Amino acid sequence: MTGDSLQRYRKNLVDSVVFECLKPAELDVIIASCRLVDAAAGQMLLAEGQRGEGLYIVLEGEIEVFLPEHVAGGTMRRPSRIRLNRLGPGRCFGEYGLLDDQPSSASVQTVTSTRLCLLTRPNFREIVEKHDRIGKIVYANLLRFLIRRLRSKDKELDLILLTEELGPKREDAGRSGGPHNAAARRAGGS
């Protein structure tokens, strides 16, 4: 990034959950390894089932995270596209693949013209190997971020299960244990 770009987007990067608690000089190390990505409205940035390039931070614009109608691999199909989230400036995506080298678990498409900061997987690994403190902080930030997301999903699942339990009773629910009991068993409940 150029010095001008660095100053222009520095606040977005400082405010992102991934780079919280980094000192200014440490953030400069990160920024020096990033590149700007401009994307038009409607452009696909990640596709479910394919490997992403690394971690993206939204600098301008808005993106949508979703599960496409056609499941990766093409053998299955969802009833429709499932919107998971909309993200704006300061928010990130691609963190799963950055950490585990696995294909993307969702797709990402721009909603508006978007400018992003991309920290590629190789550049991230190089930074972590050379700068222990940066690595510890970024990994701790990602861990906190992912745990918050997991706790939120647990609450959503609980709301779904409670809604099913409070819904109208069906005659056959008692015999089969009901859908909420089967879901609870899958989730580790009794």
Side-chain angles (χ1 to χ4, degrees):
M1 287 190 203
T2 65
D4 181 39
S5 296
L6 172 92
Q7 293 309 318
R8 183 173 177 193
Y9 297 111
R10 188 175 192 86
K11 177 144 178 46
N12 295 69
L13 296 170
V14 167
D15 291 343
S16 75
V17 295
V18 180
F19 303 132
E20 287 177 337
C21 302
L22 288 178
K23 295 177 181 177
E26 293 167 333
L27 186 61
D28 288 340
V29 169
I30 298 284
I31 290 171
S33 296
C34 293
R35 76 173 194 251
L36 284 175
V37 175
D38 288 313
Q43 184 175 331
M44 291 293 292
L45 300 170
L46 283 178
E48 178 189 32
Q50 295 179 2
R51 279 185 74 185
E53 290 185 68
L55 176 72
Y56 291 85
I57 310 290
V58 179
L59 300 173
E60 296 176 12
E62 189 175 36
I63 60 102
E64 182 175 78
V65 182
F66 65 96
L67 298 173
E69 186 174 352
H70 296 281
V71 177
T75 58
M76 295 175 57
R77 189 175 156 171
R78 294 181 179 99
S80 64
R81 175 175 165 147
I82 301 168
R83 182 176 163 222
L84 300 175
N85 208 346
R86 272 195 158 175
L87 306 175
R91 301 291 302 275
C92 69
F93 62 95
E95 68 281 354
Y96 288 8
L98 184 73
L99 298 174
D100 70 5
D101 284 330
Q102 296 297 310
S104 181
S105 60
S107 294
V108 176
Q109 185 174 26
T110 58
V111 176
T112 64
S113 294
T114 305
R115 178 166 269 191
L116 306 128
C117 173
L118 171 62
L119 178 60
T120 64
R121 191 177 301 103
N123 287 350
F124 173 72
R125 294 219 169 96
E126 184 178 327
I127 290 168
V128 168
E129 287 174 16
K130 289 181 179 178
H131 304 275
D132 289 342
R133 184 180 184 306
I134 294 174
K136 287 176 186 176
I137 289 171
V138 171
Y139 275 122
N141 289 342
L142 285 169
L143 183 60
R144 270 192 304 278
F145 174 66
L146 294 172
I147 287 172
R148 274 194 308 259
R149 183 183 292 162
L150 184 58
R151 288 182 192 275
S152 172
K153 293 300 174 190
D154 285 348
K155 286 180 182 177
E156 286 177 26
L157 179 60
D158 196 33
L159 288 173
I160 291 168
L161 295 175
L162 288 173
T163 301
E164 287 181 1
E165 191 170 297
L166 297 174
K169 301 248 185 223
R170 293 191 331 197
E171 238 176 78
D172 62 341
R175 281 185 242 131
S176 67
H180 61 278
N181 289 336
R185 285 192 296 277
R186 284 193 300 275
S190 53

